[in-house]
Structure formats: C-alpha cells, structure tokens
Amino acid sequence: MHYSIIRRLATQPKLANVPKRKWKSVVGLEVHAQIASASKLFSGSGSSFGAPLNSSVAFFDASIPGTLPVLNRKCVESGIKTSLALGCRVNEVSMFDRKHYFYADLPNGYQITQQRAALANDGKMTFPVITPGKKVYYKTAKLLQLQLEQDSGKSLHDDYLKRSLVDLNRAGLPLMELVFAPDLETGEEAASLVKELMLILRRLQTCSCKMEEGALRVDANISIHLEGDPLGVRTEVKNIGSVRSISQAITYEINRQLETVANGGVITNETRNWDAENRRTVAMRDKEVLQDYRFMPEPNLPPLHVNLKPGSKSTEDLLSVAALSLEIPELPEDTRQRLLEQYNLNAETAIILVNEPILLDNFLSISRSLSDMPNKVIYNFLINDLLTYCNKLNLDVEKCSISADGLKDILKCLHSEQINLQAARQLIELLHNNPKVKVNELIELHNLQQICSPEEIEELCQQAIANQAKAVQQYQKGKAKALFAIVGEVAKLSAQKANMKLVVQCLEKLLKPSKK
C-alpha cells in the first residue's frame, strides 16, 4: 500500500513526518480455527464451550502416565474438507510432531502439531475487500499450509487472591492452524480475508467461528519497508478478538511502525498485544532470541495416510479425499455468482448479502415466497433498512428478533400499498421490540395504514397548496422542482402516511393550468 494518505483512528500515531509514497506495509495472518467436533483431537472428552471447570478432561488431557493419543477421525475429515475448499494440495502422508515448551496449562510439556509434514499445502483464497468510500475489489492470498494440532489449557488469574489456577477443559481441543503468506497490505484486507474464511468454515460446518468463545483466533505479522527493499522487521500482534478489531489493530500497528521510523527509531522483532479498550498495541515480549521448541516426531502416532485416488471411497482405516470432496457445499463465491446470474443483482449487493448469511437466507426465502415482488425491492429493504437499523443499534443482524416471516409480512404490506416505506421502517423497530406480535396488529395498533383514499388525498393536497403559495407560483411558472416542496408539505400534514404516488398525480392535476 502506498501511504500518500493514512486514515487514523482516534488513537492513531501522528504521521506528519512520514515520507510520502515511499513505504509499503506487509501483513501475514496465522489463524487457529477450533474444529467443530463432539470430542477432542486425541481423547474422548467433550469439547462444549462453557462446561464447568475441569469437567471435560480425560486422563490423556491431564498427561497421566501410560495414556496414549487416539486420532479423532471427524477432525481429519474436517481438515481435509477445509483444505479442499481453500484449494490446497492434500498430502497423501502427513505426520505429527511434538513442539516442546513450558506453560502451566500445558500438562505434557509439549503440543502435538504437524511441523514437518502438514495435512495440506499450497492453497489460496480470493476474497472481496469492502472499504467504506472505496470501490470493492478482489484480493488473493496464498495459504502456505493447513495443519492439525491440539490446543493448550487455560490459566485463570485471580487478582484478589494473588494466584493462578488452571482449567484443562480446553487442553486437547482440535485446531486447524492456517498459515497465510504475507500477501496483504492493509487492515481492511486482513479483516476481509478472515470474514471470507469464516463464511467458508461455517458453510463446511467445520468450525463455529465464534471469536467471542475463542473458536477462531487470529495473529497478525506486520512489517513495513521501502518500496524495492527487502521486507522489514516484523511484529506479531495477538489477542485480536473480533473481525472489526483485526482491521483496527493492523492499521494502528502499521501507523505505529511508520511513526517510529519517521522519528529515527528502529522496529524490533516483538510480540504485541491488542488493547481493544484503548485501541492500541502494547509490547508483550521481544522475539530477538529464537526459541528452541525442540521439535521431534510424535512416537505414539503413526504417519497419517489418506487415499488420493479419484473415485475412491473411504474405508474404516483410510479416508478418501475424492469422497470427501463430494460433501463440500456451495461456497460463498459460488453463491455470489449465482445471485448475479439468477437474480440479476449487482456485484456489491451480492457481496453484502453473502457476507451476512441471515440476510441471504431472508432474501432467498422472501424471493421464493413473493415471486411477483421485484428483487430490488427485497434487497433494498434488507440492506438499506433492516441492516441500517441493526448497525445503528450496534446489533449483529443475526441477533435481530425479527423472523423471516415477519420481514415477509412487512414486504407484503409494502408491496400491496397497505403501508409506505416510512411505515415499513417503523415496523422494523416495532417488530424487533415486539417479535410475537403480528405485523397487521402493529399496523392497526400504531395507525400506520397508508392513506390511499382519493378524497383524503385531495383534501391534503388542497391544504398543502394553501400552505405553500410561493412554491405553487414557482411551479406554475415552470419550475418543476418546486413541486417537491408541496409534496413535502403533504407528507408533513399526513404524518408521512399519504401515498406519494397518488399525491403527485393529484397535485399535477390540481395545479395544471386551466385552458381558456
């Protein structure tokens, strides 16, 4: 990215001294996705979130001597399906390794991962990047490898008693680690990649992607360099808890590095923590000394073999990649193309609908049920009205209380001209706050019916003409736009309930010069 202009958050570093058009930023992501499985990667204990402390711990998870790992077949299937969906080359043989390091919440003293021979390599992701105020564009990032590994436990720090306790419920949970090449340049691109990845994983049902539960964790490696020079020293940013925070954290860190260089400082290789409350990165530890993880082959797990032959079927002992490929559903980009071709949507609308699965489901459901309603009316209402309402409340659209049937009923009333668009927007709020009340009851209760009676319309128009004498004169002298002032007066007199189409027709008739 060329930094001629750099957008800042409220807490962004000052960049007045940064030379223009000389620096480029580079971003690479590492994503840990918890595999949706009823049990852990190498044991039979449960994997549900929020279970009582240390209630989902098998002997193997607690590193009891004599226990051995047993690989979870479902997790391998999920890893293969995810690899195929991301265009990876699935390896016929992959291997497990021990990665040694000491943490209190790592009972074994090592993590079982796939360092030497991962499950899959050489994938890529092409995804749309939506930046406010800019044109949507597509970006491609290479996926270097996808590997299976187990999670560690969790340390709980008690500030009052000044001690730390360990919860091993998380120890051994199945993870897919996805390592992306440093092909990104901005925080917006990184957030867009993660958003697309979440859509894919949810379609595959291989990960819940609930970042608030730790089911998807993102680490970002960020560096800057002069155009034409080798890549600079990178910093790693951890503890990024939401898609929005990904963009904010990376943008802040890029700007911090630019400011440091502009002031004569040097970027150090370190791990930084994202402070979401203050919207800044904070130094955690330096990485100048390379940590020796003493990788070694996992002696208790044989190499993992899969069948790569086309047309093969899975057996009890050997998974078939060809058979698993048949289970892959329609992916987000395929859905976008289908919306363009079948529903004549524009590219940006298709991207917005696919990025919000609940909006997409509502659009497809309403479009099928109300086949005589133009698609444009449906998606405009969902995006411009429903989504806007949710954004104002800072509410995830999936948590909106309005059902698909409720939205369908509002659109039915709008299409039949029982209500106008203003009333439809009011009904969104009313139905969200009263989800069990029928739409027709809300219309009746709040007197939202559209005024369509010719007599009432004419009476309102006569009052508006009397109130807007100056606009009437301008209109009759040929200034067509003056009619808008009179129409606005009718809307005001009718409390926004008059049928504007009939109002315009009536005003044109009333204000038409009489023939002598």
Side-chain angles (χ1 to χ4, degrees), residues 263-460:
N263 293 332
V266 176
I267 306 300
T268 57
N269 185 211
E270 62 182 349
T271 299
R272 299 181 69 85
N273 188 59
W274 171 242
D275 180 353
E277 185 176 348
N278 296 307
R279 294 190 178 185
R280 62 197 301 264
T281 62
V282 181
M284 290 174 63
R285 58 182 180 269
D286 70 70
K287 300 174 73 175
E288 294 299 333
V289 179
L290 189 64
Q291 188 169 354
D292 181 12
Y293 291 112
R294 295 173 290 131
F295 284 101
M296 62 168 280
E298 169 54 67
N300 295 323
L301 287 168
L304 173 61
H305 291 259
V306 297
N307 191 343
L308 297 181
K309 291 180 181 178
S312 60
K313 293 184 178 180
S314 295
T315 65
E316 187 177 341
D317 300 320
L318 191 64
L319 289 173
S320 165
V321 174
L324 289 171
S325 69
L326 300 177
E327 299 179 18
I328 295 177
E330 182 180 70
L331 297 176
E333 187 55 30
D334 299 325
T335 304
R336 293 185 190 105
Q337 293 305 315
R338 179 162 62 87
L339 291 175
L340 295 177
E341 294 166 9
Q342 291 185 17
Y343 296 90
N344 296 317
L345 271 59
N346 61 56
E348 190 165 347
T349 298
I351 289 169
I352 293 171
L353 287 177
V354 172
N355 280 7
E356 296 290 350
I358 190 69
L359 285 189
L360 176 63
D361 291 343
N362 286 334
F363 171 78
L364 295 174
S365 173
I366 295 169
S367 183
R368 283 192 294 266
S369 301
L370 307 177
S371 55
D372 59 330
M373 182 177 291
N375 290 325
K376 187 173 182 179
V377 173
I378 301 171
Y379 69 67
N380 275 343
F381 181 72
L382 292 174
I383 295 172
N384 297 339
D385 299 311
L386 177 64
L387 191 57
T388 300
Y389 171 75
C390 291
N391 288 340
K392 281 182 181 176
L393 294 182
N394 201 20
L395 175 74
D396 191 323
V397 70
E398 291 185 355
K399 295 179 181 176
C400 181
S401 305
I402 306 175
S403 66
D405 287 337
L407 292 169
K408 198 183 303 177
D409 290 341
I410 294 175
L411 282 165
K412 271 184 187 175
C413 295
L414 181 63
H415 191 53
S416 65
E417 299 189 346
Q418 182 183 347
I419 59 172
N420 59 19
L421 184 58
Q422 188 69 24
R425 288 169 178 161
Q426 287 179 252
L427 280 168
I428 290 175
E429 181 175 0
L430 291 170
L431 200 56
H432 174 64
N433 295 327
N434 306 277
K436 294 184 179 179
V437 183
K438 298 290 184 182
V439 168
N440 282 326
E441 291 177 22
L442 289 172
I443 292 172
E444 192 73 32
L445 185 64
H446 295 274
N447 193 24
L448 297 176
Q449 298 94 336
Q450 183 168 228
I451 299 172
C452 294
S453 163
E455 293 79 13
E456 288 185 72
I457 292 289
E458 184 168 345
E459 185 179 341
L460 287 166

Side-chain angles (χ1 to χ4, degrees), residues 70-338:
V70 178
L71 182 58
N72 185 330
R73 180 188 179 102
K74 171 72 182 297
C75 295
V76 179
E77 291 175 347
S78 295
I80 292 173
K81 286 196 280 189
T82 303
S83 302
L84 293 172
L86 298 175
C88 293
R89 166 178 52 80
V90 178
N91 296 314
E92 188 172 11
V93 181
S94 57
M95 301 182 187
F96 290 95
D97 305 283
R98 291 184 178 182
K99 177 182 179 181
H100 294 84
Y101 58 96
F102 176 76
Y103 277 163
D105 50 23
L106 193 71
N108 285 322
Y110 60 84
Q111 176 194 38
I112 301 179
T113 182
Q114 292 188 309
Q115 173 69 15
R116 295 172 301 154
L119 181 68
N121 298 92
D122 303 332
K124 69 174 182 177
M125 270 188 65
T126 299
F127 53 93
V129 180
I130 302 178
T131 306
K134 295 182 180 179
K135 190 176 179 180
V136 174
Y137 65 93
Y138 275 80
K139 183 81 175 179
T140 298
K142 294 186 288 295
L143 175 59
L144 301 178
Q145 70 180 47
L146 184 151
Q147 61 196 50
L148 301 177
E149 61 185 30
Q150 61 177 171
D151 207 347
S152 61
K154 188 176 183 179
S155 294
L156 305 171
H157 307 291
D158 190 327
D159 292 331
Y160 180 75
L161 296 175
K162 305 297 182 185
R163 65 178 180 177
S164 294
L165 302 173
V166 174
D167 177 18
L168 293 180
N169 281 350
R170 201 175 70 179
L173 286 178
L175 300 177
M176 293 180 285
E177 181 178 6
L178 299 95
V179 182
F180 289 92
D183 294 332
L184 309 176
E185 298 178 14
T186 66
E188 287 85 358
E189 289 182 356
S192 297
L193 182 149
V194 173
K195 179 70 176 175
E196 185 77 357
L197 179 62
M198 291 169 71
L199 292 172
I200 292 171
L201 295 177
R202 283 172 175 161
R203 290 279 181 98
L204 296 170
Q205 297 184 347
T206 56
C207 177
S208 71
C209 297
K210 294 178 179 178
M211 296 185 79
E212 68 277 11
E213 295 181 2
L216 193 86
R217 306 197 286 273
V218 179
D219 300 333
N221 292 293
I222 304 154
S223 67
I224 60 171
H225 67 280
L226 285 167
E227 192 170 3
D229 284 2
L231 298 183
V233 176
R234 72 186 186 200
T235 58
E236 183 179 22
V237 178
K238 290 181 174 287
N239 191 36
I240 306 177
S242 68
V243 174
R244 183 177 298 177
S245 292
I246 292 168
S247 176
Q248 293 174 347
I250 292 172
T251 300
Y252 177 92
E253 181 59 21
I254 290 170
N255 290 350
R256 186 195 69 82
Q257 292 187 19
L258 287 167
E259 183 194 31
T260 299
V261 171
N263 293 332
V266 176
I267 306 300
T268 57
N269 185 211
E270 62 182 349
T271 299
R272 299 181 69 85
N273 188 59
W274 171 242
D275 180 353
E277 185 176 348
N278 296 307
R279 294 190 178 185
R280 62 197 301 264
T281 62
V282 181
M284 290 174 63
R285 58 182 180 269
D286 70 70
K287 300 174 73 175
E288 294 299 333
V289 179
L290 189 64
Q291 188 169 354
D292 181 12
Y293 291 112
R294 295 173 290 131
F295 284 101
M296 62 168 280
E298 169 54 67
N300 295 323
L301 287 168
L304 173 61
H305 291 259
V306 297
N307 191 343
L308 297 181
K309 291 180 181 178
S312 60
K313 293 184 178 180
S314 295
T315 65
E316 187 177 341
D317 300 320
L318 191 64
L319 289 173
S320 165
V321 174
L324 289 171
S325 69
L326 300 177
E327 299 179 18
I328 295 177
E330 182 180 70
L331 297 176
E333 187 55 30
D334 299 325
T335 304
R336 293 185 190 105
Q337 293 305 315
R338 179 162 62 87

Side-chain angles (χ1 to χ4, degrees), residues 451 456-457 460-465 468 484-500 503-504 507:
I451 299 172
E456 288 185 72
I457 292 289
L460 287 166
C461 288
Q462 293 285 11
Q463 289 181 47
I465 288 170
Q468 294 286 335
F484 296 143
I486 311 170
V487 170
E489 183 68 19
V490 175
K492 182 180 174 183
L493 292 169
S494 67
Q496 309 292 335
K497 291 190 289 185
N499 184 319
M500 288 301 120
V503 166
V504 170
L507 286 173

